[in-house]
């Protein structure tokens, strides 16, 4: 706990230093390519919606930094923005708006809100469907197409390998929606316990994706864990209970946090296996679960009041009585909240997580140990 005490105490100082680093001091990577879901989507989802309406296109999304909704499902920056900042790179653009241009000198973000790790067809055997088709495999397909634009005429793959050797790959968080959609849209025919049977396949798929990226030439890949969903505002409101044994000492839903822990244990084991198989690659396991639990266990350390309530939404014990949209209630300054809209975290929370990933203790090895 002493490490986190230092992390929180030094957050403002380290953030200021990060913003004022001389060029090249953290120039480990020339570009970032990222994959995932709404946790790091920077505009692909709203691009796909075209002229259609979406609450993510309107304030209060983006209110903290951008003063406008620009595609991030947050009040401000998301994690990949802080990773780019650390390496003195511009913010990484979403790939879809400019996918035909081939002009991505600093990398691209392939993440799409609602994305799953597994392809939708995987769930047919479970009589289940997921609402978004842009799974991890689809995103990696987009990435391969982009590489052909970035390194044309690369018959032997040497240009691509050199390009990827100078790049950081951020692989997620991914897999959370595979479970979310089962839990959120389940019924009596879809008991929650059945989701445990997905874990080996999801983790293996993430692992095979890491190996595929290494095969293309990637040498540095950040692989985050899933969050403690039992402490997420939307889960707490969707699965109320009058049985005190359903909650742990932090007032989170015990079963759901145990489930996230099972996924993360399997993922960490897979990362260890991949490290042994690929000693020349830097594979970084990022403990997003542990980071989020610090907000829950020690909220005052980060200036947070109640870590289990959303900043933007409606009434009810977790502020989830209405969706976060243009007419929703914003319950205060987002910097005093960990949860933004019932599902996603605030810019403040993402910045604290990023600081821990840069220097430890949230990453093995720390991201800035390049």
């Amino acid at each position: 706990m002493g490490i986190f005490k230092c992390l929180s105490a030094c957050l403002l100082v380290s953030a200021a230093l990060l913003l004022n680093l001389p060029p090249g001091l953290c120039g480990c990577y020339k570009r970032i390519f990222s994959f995932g879901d709404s946790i790091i989507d920077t505009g692909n989802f709203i691009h796909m919606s075209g002229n259609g309406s979406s609450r993510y296109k309107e304030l209060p999304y983006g209110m903290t930094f951008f003063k406008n909704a620009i595609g991030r499902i947050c009040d401000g920056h998301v994690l990949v923005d802080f990773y780019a900042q650390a390496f003195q790179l511009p913010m990484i653009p979403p790939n879809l708006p400019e996918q035909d241009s081939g002009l991505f000198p600093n990398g691209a973000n392939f993440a799409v809100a609602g994305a799953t790790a597994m392809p939708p067809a995987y769930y047919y055997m479970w009589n289940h469907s997921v609402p978004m088709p842009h799974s991890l495999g689809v995103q990696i397909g987009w990435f391969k197409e982009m590489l052909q634009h970035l390194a044309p005429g690369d018959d032997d793959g040497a240009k691509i390998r050199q390009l990827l050797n100078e790049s950081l790959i951020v692989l997620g968080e991914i897999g959370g929606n595979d479970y979310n959609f089962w839990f959120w849209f389940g019924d009596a025919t879809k008991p929650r316990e059945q989701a445990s049977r997905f874990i080996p396949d999801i983790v293996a798929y993430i692992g095979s994706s890491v190996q595929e990226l290494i095969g293309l030439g990637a040498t540095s890949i950040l692989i985050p864990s899933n969050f403690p969903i039992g402490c997420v505002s939307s889960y707490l409101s969707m699965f109320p209970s009058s049985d005190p044994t359903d909650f742990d000492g932090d007032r989170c839903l015990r079963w759901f946090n145990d489930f996230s822990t099972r996924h993360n244990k399997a993922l960490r084991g897979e990362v260890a296996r991949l490290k042994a198989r690929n000693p020349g690659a830097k594979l970084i396991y990022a403990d997003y679960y542990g980071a989020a639990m610090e907000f829950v266990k020690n909220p005052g350390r980060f200036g947070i009041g109640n870590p289990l309530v959303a900043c933007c939404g409606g009434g009810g014990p977790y502020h989830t009585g209405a969706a976060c949209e243009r007419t929703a209630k914003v319950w205060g300054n987002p910097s005093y909240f960990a949860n933004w809209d019932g599902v996603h975290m605030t810019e403040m929370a993402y910045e604290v997580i990023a600081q821990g990933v840069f220097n430890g203790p949230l990453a093995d090895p720390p991201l800035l140990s390049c």
Side-chain angles (χ1 to χ4, degrees):
M1 301 303 287
I3 295 175
F4 272 99
K5 189 176 294 183
C6 176
L7 172 64
S8 56
C10 297
L11 174 59
L12 294 178
V13 175
S14 59
L17 290 173
L18 188 59
L19 287 169
N20 293 286
L21 286 172
L25 184 60
C26 285
C28 304
Y29 304 109
K30 295 182 178 180
R31 60 194 69 82
I32 295 175
F33 297 105
S34 50
F35 308 86
D37 54 28
S38 57
I39 301 299
I40 59 169
D41 185 355
T42 53
N44 280 327
F45 181 84
I46 65 167
H47 174 77
M48 289 190 301
S49 69
N51 294 324
S53 63
S54 171
R55 60 193 176 103
Y56 303 135
K57 294 180 178 180
E58 300 179 324
L59 290 169
Y61 286 91
M63 63 176 282
T64 296
F65 177 82
F66 303 102
K67 311 305 179 186
N68 192 24
I70 64 167
R72 287 157 176 78
I73 304 179
C74 180
D75 64 297
H77 292 100
V78 293
L79 282 159
V80 71
D81 295 321
F82 292 112
Y83 298 152
Q85 187 182 69
F87 297 113
Q88 304 291 286
L89 296 172
M91 285 186 284
I92 307 304
N95 71 299
L96 292 181
E98 304 294 335
Q99 64 179 336
D100 297 325
S101 73
L103 301 177
F104 292 91
N106 302 115
N109 185 1
F110 301 88
V112 183
T116 55
M118 303 299 289
Y122 169 80
Y123 294 102
Y124 296 165
M125 73 177 81
W126 307 101
N127 193 30
H128 177 56
S129 62
V130 295
M132 290 294 291
H134 306 103
S135 62
L136 178 57
V138 171
Q139 294 177 30
I140 290 178
W142 292 337
F143 176 56
K144 290 178 179 178
E145 292 175 7
M146 179 178 289
L147 289 177
Q148 299 307 312
H149 289 288
L150 295 176
D154 186 25
D155 295 334
D156 62 358
K159 293 180 182 178
I160 290 176
R161 286 193 295 274
Q162 177 61 32
L163 182 149
L164 293 180
N165 185 56
E166 302 169 341
S167 305
L168 172 68
I169 304 293
V170 178
L171 195 67
E173 174 271 343
I174 191 70
N177 284 329
D178 294 71
Y179 307 125
N180 288 337
F181 295 143
W182 183 267
F183 296 139
W184 292 346
F185 307 125
D187 55 36
T189 67
K190 298 176 181 178
R192 66 184 187 183
E193 292 78 9
Q194 194 164 312
S196 298
R197 299 176 67 180
F198 305 158
I199 293 176
D201 293 335
I202 290 171
V203 168
Y205 194 90
I206 294 171
S208 67
S209 298
V210 171
Q211 192 63 55
E212 182 178 8
L213 293 167
I214 293 172
L216 291 171
T219 55
S220 297
I221 305 177
L222 179 71
I223 308 160
S225 69
N226 280 354
F227 291 95
I229 57 176
C231 301
V232 173
S233 310
S234 59
Y235 272 83
L236 286 160
S237 61
M238 290 176 67
F239 300 97
S241 175
S242 58
D243 184 349
T245 64
D246 286 338
F247 298 87
D248 61 22
D250 300 307
R251 299 174 294 148
C252 300
L253 290 163
R254 188 187 308 275
W255 188 92
F256 286 104
N257 273 6
D258 287 347
F259 180 88
S260 295
T261 300
R262 293 200 299 274
H263 168 92
N264 293 337
K265 181 179 180 181
L267 181 64
R268 190 157 203 163
E270 179 69 6
V271 173
R273 186 188 68 80
L274 289 163
K275 285 182 177 181
R277 183 179 176 183
N278 303 278
K282 180 180 179 181
L283 304 181
I284 307 161
Y285 178 83
D287 182 15
Y288 287 3
Y289 182 104
M293 286 306 300
E294 279 299 309
F295 299 126
V296 174
K297 291 180 177 296
N298 302 289
R301 195 175 289 170
F302 303 96
I304 296 170
N306 184 343
L308 304 181
V309 303
C311 176
C312 177
Y318 303 106
H319 299 174
T320 54
C324 179
E325 43 83 28
R326 182 171 49 85
T327 61
K329 181 170 183 176
V330 176
W331 288 83
N333 186 329
S335 65
Y336 299 129
F337 290 79
N339 189 291
W340 165 239
D341 61 0
V343 177
H344 309 93
M345 303 186 86
T346 59
E347 176 185 87
M348 182 281 298
Y350 287 142
E351 183 174 11
V352 173
I353 294 171
Q355 290 292 335
V357 172
F358 296 149
N359 302 303
L362 302 181
D364 178 22
L367 183 55
L368 293 187
S369 63
C370 53

